[in-house]
Amino acid sequence: MGFLTFRGGVHPSEKKEMSQDQEIKVLKLPDTVYMYTSNHLGAPAKPIVEVGEKVKTGQKIAEASGFISANLHSPLTGEIVSIEKMVNAASGRKDDVIVIKKTSEDDWQLLPHNDDFTKFTSEEIINNIKEAGIVGLGGAMFPSHVKLMIPKGKKAETLIINAAECEPYITIDERMMLEKTDEIIKGIEILLYASGIEKAYIGIEENKSKAIKTMIEKTNGKNIEIKTLKTKYPQGAEKQLINAITSKEVPSGGLPIDIGVIVFNVSTTYAIYDAIINGKPLVERGASLTGEGVKKPGNFLYRIGTKVNELLENVGLIDEENIDRILYGGPMMGIPLPNIELPTFKGNNAITVLTKDILPKREDFPCIRCSSCVSVCPIGLQPYLLKKYSDTRNYDTALENGLMDCIECGSCSFICPSNIELAKSFKTAKKVVRAMKQRRG
């Protein structure tokens, strides 16, 4: 049987067996949470609470401040104890953080909700998703309501649910499909209703056979079709997923809606269900705590804003001297943490702890122009050339050669026999280009 896929890509060791069979455990409420106002892609949310104010679980504490922005809600019933600056590992900058101390168990402030979502209009559903502060939970943290606001002149024709979960080690989306099957299917029906699209596709990699079987059984007779994908990284990248399922290509610099497609991560779909049916804003999510550096890898439901060290207490760390790095996310696109006393984000689908045994120090060598990076680039770029242009600050030529189309998946770095960290160079170059563009206005 042939599985759907895309051109290029790599096959890193999957390592999913470490947590694949571990049922999701609900963690106890933390004593304190730390909520970045930049908990999404786009402009930071604006705080609407003051120090000393009492808040309920689910109460809005910061308001979206732009079109690409998202509301923020309290994950605890407690008191605002400070609004301070903390390092944001993703950007390297200090961001505003709202600190909330728990004063009691959950006393929820819910949004309007209804078991029968058709009692809402599609506009009301999109507005409720916006009010709930839901963003992409696969890691991108793009505000979900924006995807449903179809620009004038565009038409949404295909809904794709991203359940590929191609990053090694991470298994939370797979567990969500096994344990929250009915809720996710209801979430898909809500998205179809809100978008006016007639049919949805769920893309799942072949290494999740139980989830594929369960989803096929539960969607029987519904306008939802399961598409089995070849296990290959980065199969879960939005453009590669769309290409594998529809054979269409998102144009350079374009968006999925330009070809009539909208994509939602499977855990995001569950969050949309929870908001519309139960009235719960996005204050908690699932994550895999995994890697050779933890004693008992597993999957957990936790309150957003919990510090990483508190999450890791639930799985235990091995000898700290043998730990190489701790990442927000997985080993291919994860963000190395400067310390573990930083808070979690809405987009944290995993904390991965890697050891020195797994990541031995490698000496890097000059590029030998073997073109391995070209053969695996899922976008069809020439990474070795982009590296040359980026290193010499020849940004105009780098842009002409597709620098901004790079999805930073790291496939080129993974395959490079000279151990050159190509993707890291491209991330830096893209930041420089964006900064130059901002300065020019």
Side-chain angles (χ1 to χ4, degrees):
M1 178 180 176
F3 299 115
L4 302 175
T5 191
F6 61 97
R7 186 185 67 81
V10 293
H11 297 273
S13 183
E14 296 172 25
K15 303 290 184 75
K16 290 185 183 284
E17 68 281 359
M18 299 178 75
S19 58
Q20 198 165 33
D21 294 326
Q22 298 297 316
E23 292 185 4
I24 300 169
K25 295 178 182 173
V26 180
L27 296 183
K28 70 172 187 178
L29 297 178
D31 290 333
T32 307
V33 291
Y34 303 79
M35 301 297 288
Y36 285 109
T37 53
S38 291
N39 228 302
H40 49 267
L41 194 68
K46 184 179 178 183
I48 55 172
V49 289
E50 296 179 350
V51 173
E53 188 172 337
K54 302 288 192 297
V55 292
K56 293 183 178 182
T57 304
Q59 181 177 332
K60 193 192 301 183
I61 56 174
E63 207 157 49
S65 62
F67 182 66
I68 309 295
S69 184
N71 293 332
L72 199 61
H73 302 80
S74 176
L76 297 175
T77 297
E79 180 180 342
I80 308 295
V81 294
S82 67
I83 300 176
E84 57 190 66
K85 296 280 187 185
M86 289 186 76
V87 171
N88 180 329
S91 65
R93 300 190 304 266
K94 285 190 173 181
D95 284 340
D96 287 331
V97 174
I98 301 172
V99 184
I100 306 162
K101 188 174 180 57
K102 180 169 75 94
T103 55
S104 70
E105 296 304 303
D106 280 336
D107 179 12
W108 282 89
Q109 184 173 101
L110 299 174
L111 297 167
H113 55 287
N114 198 311
D115 284 344
D116 180 2
F117 62 83
T118 63
K119 298 294 183 187
F120 294 117
T121 65
S122 61
E123 290 77 15
E124 286 171 333
I125 285 180
I126 294 169
N127 188 58
N128 287 354
I129 291 171
K130 177 182 179 182
E131 282 301 310
I134 297 173
V135 302
L137 300 185
M141 296 197 294
F142 189 84
S144 295
H145 67 278
V146 178
K147 286 190 176 183
L148 291 166
M149 298 169 69
I150 311 301
K152 195 174 180 181
K154 310 283 184 188
K155 185 180 180 185
E157 298 173 326
T158 305
L159 172 64
I160 295 177
I161 304 302
N162 188 351
E165 199 167 55
C166 61
E167 267 272 2
Y169 291 88
I170 305 174
T171 59
I172 186 62
D173 280 352
E174 182 177 2
R175 292 307 316 177
M176 290 292 287
M177 284 189 282
L178 292 171
E179 299 177 39
K180 304 290 183 185
T181 318
D182 293 335
E183 293 88 342
I184 289 169
I185 291 170
K186 180 71 72 110
I188 295 170
E189 291 172 335
I190 292 169
L191 286 170
L192 286 171
Y193 175 78
S195 65
I197 296 173
E198 293 183 358
K199 185 174 180 179
Y201 300 91
I202 309 177
I204 311 174
E205 280 193 340
E206 59 176 301
N207 61 357
K208 302 168 188 63
S209 56
K210 289 181 185 174
I212 292 170
K213 182 173 182 290
T214 302
M215 278 294 178
I216 288 175
E217 288 174 355
K218 290 280 189 169
T219 55
N220 185 32
K222 297 180 180 292
N223 50 348
I224 301 171
E225 184 177 343
I226 311 305
K227 292 288 189 181
T228 307
L229 308 165
K230 187 174 181 179
T231 301
K232 185 169 67 169
Y233 180 85
Q235 185 61 83
E238 195 169 68
K239 291 181 179 179
Q240 284 59 51
L241 182 68
I242 292 170
N243 180 249
I245 292 178
T246 69
S247 298
K248 295 180 180 177
E249 288 200 8
V250 179
S252 173
L255 296 170
I257 193 60
D258 293 334
I259 54 170
V261 180
I262 53 176
V263 181
F264 287 89
N265 167 268
V266 71
S267 286
T268 313
T269 306
Y270 174 80
I272 287 170
Y273 157 86
D274 213 17
I276 302 301
I277 303 299
N278 299 321
K280 289 187 175 181
L282 182 59
V283 299
E284 62 185 359
R285 65 155 301 153
S288 300
L289 305 180
T290 184
E292 286 79 3
V294 304
K295 293 176 181 174
K296 297 178 180 177
N299 296 292
F300 302 88
L301 191 69
Y302 72 95
R303 292 294 163 94
I304 295 161
T306 304
K307 283 190 171 181
V308 171
N309 59 328
E310 292 180 36
L311 287 185
L312 291 176
E313 286 173 3
N314 296 281
V315 291
L317 293 178
I318 62 160
D319 177 12
E320 291 188 18
E321 289 189 0
N322 194 29
I323 292 175
D324 182 88
R325 69 187 69 171
I326 299 177
L327 303 159
Y328 281 139
M332 298 299 287
M333 292 189 73
I335 300 168
L337 289 169
N339 69 73
I340 57 174
E341 293 198 4
L342 291 175
T344 46
F345 291 88
K346 289 181 179 180
N348 284 144
N349 57 353
I351 303 295
T352 308
V353 184
L354 302 177
T355 61
K356 294 174 181 174
D357 304 333
I358 300 300
L359 294 171
K361 295 297 178 192
R362 301 191 307 175
E363 185 179 356
D364 59 336
F365 298 96
C367 173
I368 58 174
R369 293 178 178 266
C370 65
S371 78
S372 296
C373 56
V374 178
S375 65
V376 302
C377 179
I379 304 295
L381 303 176
Q382 300 184 73
Y384 75 97
L385 274 181
L386 285 179
K387 167 77 170 153
K388 176 185 170 185
Y389 299 138
S390 298
D391 287 353
T392 55
R393 300 183 182 179
N394 188 354
Y395 298 121
D396 287 338
T397 309
L399 289 171
E400 289 170 7
N401 281 270
L403 173 66
M404 303 312 282
D405 287 329
C406 170
I407 60 172
E408 303 173 14
C409 67
S411 294
C412 51
S413 306
F414 176 83
I415 204 72
C416 179
S418 292
N419 302 325
I420 300 170
E421 294 198 54
L422 295 145
K424 191 175 178 182
S425 296
F426 306 149
K427 283 183 188 179
T428 304
K430 288 166 76 174
K431 282 183 183 176
V432 173
V433 169
R434 290 191 186 106
M436 290 167 62
K437 192 176 177 183
Q438 262 188 336
R439 278 203 296 271
R440 288 171 187 161

